[in-house]
Amino acid sequence: MDEQPGCCIEEGGNESDNSKCAKTDSAAEELSLNPWFPCPGCDRTVTSLVRSGHPHPGKHHYYSYTHCCLTCESGSADPKHSEDQWACAGVPTSMFRQAKLSGSAIQSHYLLHDPGPEAAGGVPLPAVLFLHGANTYLYPETLWWDLRGLLEQNKVAHDEFFIVAPFGAIGEPVARASTWTKANRFKLDVPYVDSFDVDATWETFLRALEALGSRVDLSRLHVMGFSMGGQAVWSLALRYGSQLASAVPMAACCKWPEDAWASQDRIIEEVRRLPVWSYCGEQDTRTVSWRDFGWLADRRGLQTKSSESLTSHTELGIDSVIHDWGPDLSLTLVRGTRSCHCIWDMVFHNEEFFGLFRRLQMVRCDTPMESVEDGLTPFPASCEGRQKRQKQKWAGALVLVFGWSKLHVLHVPCLLCGKCCALPLNVECAQQTDQSSSESRLWTT
Ligand SMILES: [Zn+2]
Ligand SMILES: [Zn+2]
């Protein structure tokens, strides 16, 4: 979402800086206890940022302290809300959810889009974790605008996906504050946001899935985000990618964790098979790291040089330059948008040209979590647990092949010694000769 236009000048007298600080501290306390409140005049839930952290307790000319907006507070029936959307700080209560996270005293809040129990014929649906940009930290109500635009413009997303959109806003456990400051809606400098907290964001997603129960297909979980949210998508992929069906980072490159070098074996296990489809502005060069794509391609055994193709969308007045390393690794550079950074709405709102959600529909995770509790295991244990389960899966397949081979008088290699074996797994190996092993090898471990 673009920056808020104009500024809000408070009414009231001149107060001292000390007075401002005292009120700001108590407001921060109030905000942490009640970051949202229900509007008494309508069906919206309102961010407490409109009545916290400002220096003037009297009436404000732009925001209501009690309602979603001054229009709603006035009791107006038509229009019900301010025609300036920036003046209404509410989001639909019907989409508003909260989740208790382990180890956190405060609730995590998110918006949920639910296509309904009849969607797609009632089968379990895929789910998307939708992560916003940094500006939403100060204006959490704008998350709804982003989601509303997607749902209004993209029928596939609307009809066939659960969408979970956490608020990475002031006071929320999924947001990590920065050491630098930015002016808030009342023109007061406040600590700005650094990033999404990856583990808390992941847990919020899982708690949302838990609440949806069997209506979600756990083999079809996707993470998608733009700008700060795009960076979080990369971070989630490095830690939880083996449980995902795809990752779609937009307008962001990967911010590698400090221990990335030491953890690279675990990281590669998370992303080796994960489809990564990234979108950036062609001129937004700071958000593209060619080295990262080359590294991923190399570790997947692909050519490190991409193939390049150009698609012109004359109806939209833009071009897409698509760099492909394979069907599961691509970077689409969008050319011709008004802002070289804010390209995500172009992709979200033009499914007929970009086909992003159709693409998501087609893929499934090879190693999905078996339950939400399973997915809650923190990294790197989650990675190790996944590897262990994968080995068990292979062992199970091997036992089946072994049984089949006994019937068909064939030999298969032992999972433990790699040589031809005539006994079940996990018992003492009856090794055959190297020659018979090499002739009959069906699997490698
Ligand atoms: Zn209202
Ligand atoms: Zn309103």
Side-chain angles (χ1 to χ4, degrees), residues 39-44 46 67-69 72-73 80-81 88:
C39 176
C42 71
D43 57 358
R44 293 188 179 179
V46 190
H67 289 62
C68 59
C69 58
C72 187
E73 184 180 351
K80 178 69 190 161
H81 297 280
C88 181

Side-chain angles (χ1 to χ4, degrees), residues 6-87:
C7 97
C8 315
I9 302 166
E10 300 79 11
E11 293 175 353
N14 296 322
E15 298 192 24
S16 71
D17 286 346
N18 286 342
S19 167
K20 285 184 183 181
C21 286
K23 280 176 181 163
T24 301
D25 288 347
S26 67
E29 198 176 318
E30 181 191 334
L31 180 67
S32 70
L33 293 173
N34 296 302
W36 296 86
F37 66 92
C39 176
C42 71
D43 57 358
R44 293 188 179 179
T45 298
V46 190
T47 172
S48 296
L49 292 174
V50 293
R51 58 183 184 187
S52 308
H54 60 83
H56 306 294
K59 189 172 175 61
H60 192 273
H61 82 285
Y62 193 74
Y63 291 111
S64 166
Y65 296 158
T66 56
H67 289 62
C68 59
C69 58
L70 292 172
T71 307
C72 187
E73 184 180 351
S74 74
S76 164
D78 187 21
K80 178 69 190 161
H81 297 280
S82 168
E83 291 176 342
D84 172 4
Q85 72 169 351
W86 284 100

Side-chain angles (χ1 to χ4, degrees), residues 101-120:
L101 305 188
S102 51
S104 174
I106 50 175
Q107 303 264 355
S108 179
H109 300 90
Y110 61 96
L111 293 177
L112 172 73
H113 167 65
D114 180 347
E118 303 303 320

Side-chain angles (χ1 to χ4, degrees), residues 110-149:
Y110 61 96
L111 293 177
L112 172 73
H113 167 65
D114 180 347
E118 303 303 320
V123 300
L125 296 178
V128 169
L129 176 63
F130 182 90
L131 299 174
H132 59 71
N135 199 43
T136 303
Y137 183 70
L138 298 177
Y139 300 92
E141 63 271 33
T142 64
L143 176 58
W144 175 43
W145 310 349
D146 289 324
L147 196 52
R148 181 179 59 191

